[in-house]
Amino acid sequence: MGNREDLLDGAKRCLYEKGYVRTTARDIATASGVSLAAIGYHYRSKDALMNAALYQAMQEWGEEIERAFTTEGVAGATPAERFAATWDRVIESFTTHRPLWVTQFEIIAQIDHLPEVRELLAAGVDAARVGLAELFQNILATGEGKEEEEQAAVGAFYQMMLTGVLGQWLVAPDRAPSGRDLAVALRAVAANIGSADEADQTGPAGEGHA
């Protein structure tokens, strides 16, 4: 690899080993075997290099998640079974990329002081919402043609689930929900909402509205 690629690879290793905030320019130079001066020459600054490393690491995880969303091994399964199997694969990916997620939570805690990283993560959230909505739409065989507003809301919901499950997994992996747990919970919540909607439509006395 050339110096530019070596620096990016070294910065990504530092991201996983030391985190975003604690990594120094000297750490990157040592990890990549490239001089300190090369960082400024190729990337302008250490922060710009770390941002590039973070972006690439997120892309790589995203590609892994796309593979996790394949229906291989769950042919003929019900939508609930496919949903649970997919989430189990997503949760398995947390193990491989645990340092990346710890780093992201550390970054979020200091996000007010990292405006460029805020923009990077915000763009990543937007892209993830679109991707998650499309991937789950395919997994659950719900078809296409949903309204853009509904698609965005569905994507935001899955993004929220992903962040929440990840946070619980980082704290206590053995107590984090499984794919089946999520499927059971989602079915129960949907049933409760449906029951509440029916009650609203019939009124307190069980009669339809005029």
Side-chain angles (χ1 to χ4, degrees):
M1 294 189 294
N3 283 355
R4 183 178 179 84
E5 292 76 18
D6 287 335
L7 284 167
L8 185 59
D9 185 63
K12 194 164 61 176
R13 287 206 305 276
C14 289
L15 184 69
Y16 274 83
E17 294 170 5
K18 301 195 68 172
Y20 184 97
V21 177
R22 290 185 298 278
T23 294
T24 66
R26 190 169 296 281
D27 291 331
I28 299 171
T30 300
S32 61
V34 178
S35 70
L36 279 169
I39 294 175
Y41 177 78
H42 289 288
Y43 288 93
R44 302 187 318 279
S45 69
K46 185 266 289 186
D47 289 345
L49 172 53
M50 288 300 292
N51 290 348
L54 177 61
Y55 180 77
Q56 187 177 88
M58 290 170 62
Q59 278 191 315
E60 290 171 354
W61 180 81
E63 291 167 2
E64 186 172 326
I65 288 301
E66 284 193 39
R67 292 191 292 271
F69 274 78
T70 65
T71 57
E72 182 180 353
V74 291
T78 65
E81 290 169 338
R82 290 197 297 272
F83 179 94
T86 299
W87 274 106
D88 282 338
R89 291 173 181 172
V90 171
I91 293 167
E92 285 175 11
S93 78
F94 294 165
T95 302
T96 306
H97 297 274
R98 188 180 193 283
L100 174 63
W101 300 120
V102 170
T103 293
Q104 288 216 35
F105 275 80
E106 290 176 347
I107 290 172
I108 290 171
Q110 303 185 50
I111 200 68
D112 287 343
H113 307 293
L114 301 167
E116 291 185 3
V117 180
R118 181 197 291 274
E119 292 181 12
L120 177 65
L121 293 181
V125 166
D126 289 342
R129 287 176 178 175
V130 173
L132 286 168
E134 292 177 350
L135 289 168
F136 266 105
Q137 184 170 281
N138 292 334
I139 284 293
L140 300 178
T142 54
E144 300 180 357
K146 292 184 180 297
E147 294 293 335
E148 184 175 341
E149 183 178 354
E150 179 180 344
Q151 195 85 334
V154 168
F157 176 78
Y158 283 128
Q159 177 72 17
M160 177 190 66
M161 286 184 64
L162 179 62
T163 304
V165 172
L166 174 60
Q168 293 182 56
W169 184 89
L170 286 173
V171 172
D174 58 329
R175 283 183 266 174
S178 66
R180 183 179 181 280
D181 292 332
L182 295 174
V184 169
L186 195 58
R187 185 187 289 114
V189 170
N192 287 338
I193 292 175
S195 297
D197 283 344
E198 290 178 7
D200 287 342
Q201 290 171 6
T202 58
E207 299 178 354
H209 296 297

